Amino acid sequence: MSTTTELLKGAAELFPGEVVTQAHVRHLDLPSSAGRFALITLDNGLDHTKPTTFGPQSLANLNAALDQVEKEAADGEIVGVGLTGKPFIFAVGADLKGVELLKRREDALAIGKGGHEVFKRLAALSVPTFAYYNGAAMGGGVEVGLHCTYRTVSAALPAFSLPEVFLGLVPGWGGCTILPNLIGADRAVSVIIENSLNQNRQLKGAQVFELGIADAIFEGADFLEQSLIWTAAVLKGELEVARPEVDRGEAWDRAVARGKAIADSKVHGAAPAAYRALDIIAAAKNGDLRQGFDAEDQALADLIMGGELRSGIYAFNLVQKRAKRPAGAPDKNLARPVTKVGVVGAGLMASQLALLFARRLEVPVVLTDIDQERVDKGVGYVHGEIDKLLLKGRVNQDTANRLKALVTGSLDKAAAFSDADFVIEAVFEEMGVKQQVFAEVEAVVPEHAILATNTSSLSVSEMASKLKHPERVVGFHFFNPVAILPLLEIVRGERTDDASLATAFAVAKKLKKTAVLVKDAPAFVVNRILTRFLGEVLAAIDEGTPVEVADRALAPLGLPMSPIVLLELVGPAVAHHVAGTLHTAFPERFGVSENLGRIVAAGKRSLYVHDSGKPELDPEVAALFQVGDTVLTEEQVRDRALNAIAQEVRLMLDEGVVAEAQDIDLCLITGAGWPFHLGGITPYLDREGVSERVNGKRFLAEGVASVPA
């Protein structure tokens, strides 16, 4: 038995639940009498909604297929070997469900070595090999093709990436080593580091070709047929594939430095994967593939046994699976149809909502406000955004015209909302104002209409308390910017009925939002956690810690922005208002910063100035501050903030604000952009011992977002 077979057999025993990919070998005669050709098709026997992956048994099947074609090539029976996938899918890489099960470093090392041992056989065959990227290709799916002599790509290919760094791994089956040697270090850094850390940005077929990853591109309709014609021309010598020479001088070093700067800006050194990938890319400059593969194996083994990857897989599963089955959502069959939407308010938030509803639901949307100028401005904003989509090619002219026609404005709520099925308010965050708006709307809408509030912190139950039908009021809290952040906190008031809630979830699904059911508790989930942690940072500043010290305190977590930048994004006035709401509800835990109050009173929107090119405390803000003489270190501020978050999350779970810790993590990932390597937050708190220090127990069981015991 070969070493490769032994490796894969051992790994397969650890992963009995693998969805196995077959590697079917069929033979065909190439066009133009170019000779007999072996075509290997990767297929797990399921449709395109279940993409093809590489677990240990799947790798063993590909290895067996390579045994067959290797012999045929040696015997002179074939002139080449091709590799392709099932319809719409080439292959999407390693099966992460198997990675989660690994408990020992030697087993993790076997996964890396097993993939390398199989894939590099493609390059070692005595005949040329061809990868035909016919559909989605990610991770190991991309890498198996990199081992081939030539590659073609479908113009219809929707998604191509090396997403490993995004999850907490490195492209460990040849990606870090072969790709820079194929297309140059700078382009490889874009694919491996930059795209991964920009929310796993995908490449289209044309970009794969332009980058030089593929040697030819063909239309999707007859992709395989055209690829085989091209293959015949290459094998007969009628077509020569020319690739630009790779710059192995200073350009390589500059590319690695650029990658490090990108990693620093995105994860601030908090997660190791990007840096390990860059180390391998840097070393690949000498073109030594064996050395590179060994480095990939070691990096994979280390990272698979690390908490960041386990948190990354946990976060990935939350976003891909739990998000699609919201905990506590009522029977979807109770949902009522929504054929027209009303939006109360025509400001920026209301206008963003109107655009989203029109684009996703494709139903009439009408905005109202207190004067015609505001209404016109809101409708104008929506129409302007549609024009931008048209210019970018995101919609065609007919779609743009139709969307514009769907969005209108009115001063008359009765005329606007008399036939609306769903009305959402996005007015000033003050209870009296919102109660008045709902009273006016309830008087003119049909009895079945849902009344939704975009409140960020106020009680939905209190808002509905004076209505004749409080059962149809639901919280529908979006996050800004609406078009980008996926989270939608759906709030059930004390008297919200199942039909209204089911309708809210159905609308959220059509809006393509990640809906999480939350209890009607002050500030719900994301704003409650952010306000608590921001409150601790502001309290440290008020007590005497320099602003820049407090602001750097959370940097080791790799959050998308520092606390003060977050404060500026939210707006000091909004943050101060939410803090006040939570102080009223929980005065012993949520303070109200007097210094923040002074900033708001002075009309300041920012604490920093950027005159020198880097953020510095605005002298006008500094003059407003009144502080004590207690100076904390960054570590002390960080411990204080993390302790506060751990306490608040535990209390929220005890109060039943959400069903489980997983929902809090899902909210932070999709509503606040907190990184996958933290798993949201609870895996990090468990990993760092904060959970047990503060609460006496972990949030998640051993083996969930961590290496199994």
Side-chain angles (χ1 to χ4, degrees), residues 487-540:
L487 180 63
L488 182 52
E489 290 178 337
I490 295 185
V491 188
R492 181 170 204 156
E494 289 175 6
R495 296 174 67 180
T496 306
D497 63 21
D498 283 352
S500 299
L501 202 60
T503 305
F505 273 98
V507 169
K509 186 174 182 180
K510 287 185 178 178
L511 294 176
K512 299 184 179 179
K513 291 295 181 183
T514 296
V516 175
L517 179 63
V518 304
K519 183 180 176 181
D520 187 18
F524 317 125
V525 175
V526 173
N527 283 345
R528 180 164 165 181
I529 292 171
L530 293 185
T531 302
R532 181 77 198 275
F533 113 83
L534 190 56
E536 296 298 329
V537 173
L538 291 173

Side-chain angles (χ1 to χ4, degrees), residues 100-172:
E100 286 180 276
L101 301 173
L102 297 176
K103 300 179 182 180
R104 302 184 309 160
R105 190 181 187 279
E106 51 264 44
D107 295 328
L109 189 62
I111 290 292
K113 287 184 178 295
H116 272 133
E117 292 302 317
V118 175
F119 287 3
K120 69 185 184 184
R121 295 185 67 193
L122 284 160
L125 290 176
S126 60
V127 294
T129 51
F130 299 77
Y132 306 132
Y133 291 123
N134 64 301
M138 299 174 198
V142 169
E143 290 171 298
V144 69
L146 294 178
H147 285 265
C148 293
T149 322
Y150 305 100
R151 286 156 295 282
T152 67
V153 67
S154 168
L157 182 146
F160 183 104
S161 65
L162 289 169
E164 286 85 353
V165 167
F166 177 68
L167 293 172
L169 278 174
V170 299

Side-chain angles (χ1 to χ4, degrees), residues 387-406:
D387 286 335
K388 290 178 187 176
L389 292 171
L390 178 63
L391 283 172
K392 292 175 183 175
R394 302 275 298 278
V395 299
N396 60 31
Q397 188 65 61
D398 287 345
T399 302
N401 293 341
R402 188 172 73 253
L403 289 174
K404 285 183 180 180
L406 287 174

Side-chain angles (χ1 to χ4, degrees), residues 297-331:
D297 288 341
Q298 297 302 322
L300 275 183
D302 290 344
L303 293 169
I304 285 172
M305 300 310 293
E308 289 84 4
L309 172 68
R310 302 304 174 121
S311 294
I313 295 174
Y314 165 84
F316 181 79
N317 288 335
L318 291 182
V319 171
Q320 294 296 318
K321 296 175 182 176
R322 191 176 184 91
K324 293 177 173 62
R325 294 186 292 276
D331 184 350

Side-chain angles (χ1 to χ4, degrees), residues 314-315 318-319 322-323 487 514-516 661-671 679-680:
Y314 165 84
L318 291 182
V319 171
R322 191 176 184 91
L487 180 63
T514 296
V516 175
Q662 283 88 336
D663 294 310
I664 286 177
D665 292 324
L666 182 59
C667 284
L668 288 170
I669 292 164
T670 57

